[in-house]
Amino acid sequence: MLSRWFPAAINTRPTEWSRAAIGMALGTMFSVWLCGQVFGLEVAQHLIGPLGASAVLLFAVSSGALAQPWSIVGGYLCASVVALLVAHVLGRTLGSACLAAGMALVLMCWLRCLHPPAGALAATLVLAAPSIIALDWQAVGAAMLAGSGLLAFALAYNNLTRVRYPKRTSEPVAVIPADHSPVDRHAITAEDLKLALAEMEAFFDVTPEDLEQLIHASERNAKRRSITEVLSGRG
């Protein structure tokens, strides 16, 4: 039973860990510096928590659905607007901060821009430092500038380090195996996976297209293994 508490192995190499770590450090520093140039360093440093969390997604799991550009832009916008509305109506208390995070989550789901660090941003802006409170609605601009700066850095850094970003969900998926064998009409497709994900009614940080590629790659590997086993048996 205790083994269930241990996480699964991360399917990436240490070189990728280093690439993501460097990107996260530089990207967060750049976004804080950029925001600080316009709104002051004290304001920018107050946003470093949500920015650091966003950086983990943007540089370590950039192919995930929660790390795509609309997720961070829309998520930060929803969180900052909701947070300031709640702060003006209900005041800046712990309860209103938690309420703002929950309301931001509902809005992000509705607008299809779910981004977990935006929940932290909503709570952060409600329980804000005096420097951010003084900005009033300009705090939305500060949050958006910091988030956009981080996104811009991620776009440049990921592609320069040979990690394609953003992930285009509309791109065609290669379903024909490398050996050009016919595709089974009963093979699982992205549409099948979309229906399955909808039936499960839960959050999954993966696109149907990614799952389809993974399934077809697994099928090819299984076919190659089966052929190798047959040939070795004959030998």
Side-chain angles (χ1 to χ4, degrees):
M1 182 177 294
L2 291 176
S3 63
R4 299 177 184 176
W5 291 82
F6 291 97
I10 299 177
N11 297 319
T12 54
R13 299 177 180 179
T15 53
E16 173 59 19
W17 306 347
S18 301
R19 187 204 69 82
I22 294 172
M24 176 182 174
L26 295 178
T28 305
M29 183 179 297
F30 172 77
S31 61
V32 170
W33 172 83
L34 180 63
C35 182
Q37 296 302 302
V38 179
F39 296 97
L41 186 59
E42 185 178 354
V43 171
Q45 288 179 340
H46 192 70
L47 301 174
I48 197 169
L51 289 171
S54 295
V56 173
L57 293 176
L58 289 173
F59 296 99
V61 285
S62 59
S63 63
L66 306 182
Q68 300 312 301
W70 172 236
S71 293
I72 184 170
V73 173
Y76 271 49
L77 181 60
C78 291
S80 55
V81 171
V82 168
L84 290 175
L85 281 173
V86 170
H88 277 80
V89 175
L90 300 178
R92 298 180 180 276
T93 65
L94 177 60
S96 59
C98 296
L99 177 62
M103 291 176 62
L105 171 62
V106 173
L107 186 57
M108 285 187 288
C109 290
W110 183 57
L111 295 177
R112 296 188 295 178
C113 57
L114 184 61
H115 187 66
L121 176 64
T124 297
L125 290 180
V126 173
L127 300 176
S131 57
I132 291 184
I133 295 176
L135 289 176
D136 199 24
W137 284 101
Q138 291 184 23
V140 176
M144 294 306 299
L145 178 60
S148 298
L150 181 64
L151 175 60
F153 190 92
L155 285 167
Y157 180 84
N158 284 337
N159 286 284
L160 287 174
T161 54
R162 300 182 179 180
V163 174
R164 185 171 56 181
Y165 179 78
K167 177 73 174 182
R168 293 184 296 175
T169 56
S170 60
E171 63 188 5
V173 179
V175 298
I176 300 179
D179 57 2
H180 302 289
S181 58
V183 178
D184 186 357
R185 292 183 178 180
H186 300 289
I188 298 173
T189 65
E191 289 301 319
D192 298 322
L193 292 167
K194 288 179 182 178
L195 292 173
L197 290 172
E199 291 173 358
M200 296 180 73
E201 298 182 347
F203 291 112
F204 293 94
D205 188 18
V206 64
T207 63
E209 290 77 12
D210 288 334
L211 286 174
E212 186 181 20
Q213 288 181 330
L214 180 61
I215 288 173
H216 288 299
S218 301
E219 289 173 345
R220 290 196 296 270
N221 290 331
K223 184 178 294 184
R224 292 192 188 100
R225 186 186 69 251
S226 178
I227 294 173
T228 302
E229 290 176 353
V230 171
L231 292 177
S232 61
R234 289 179 180 179

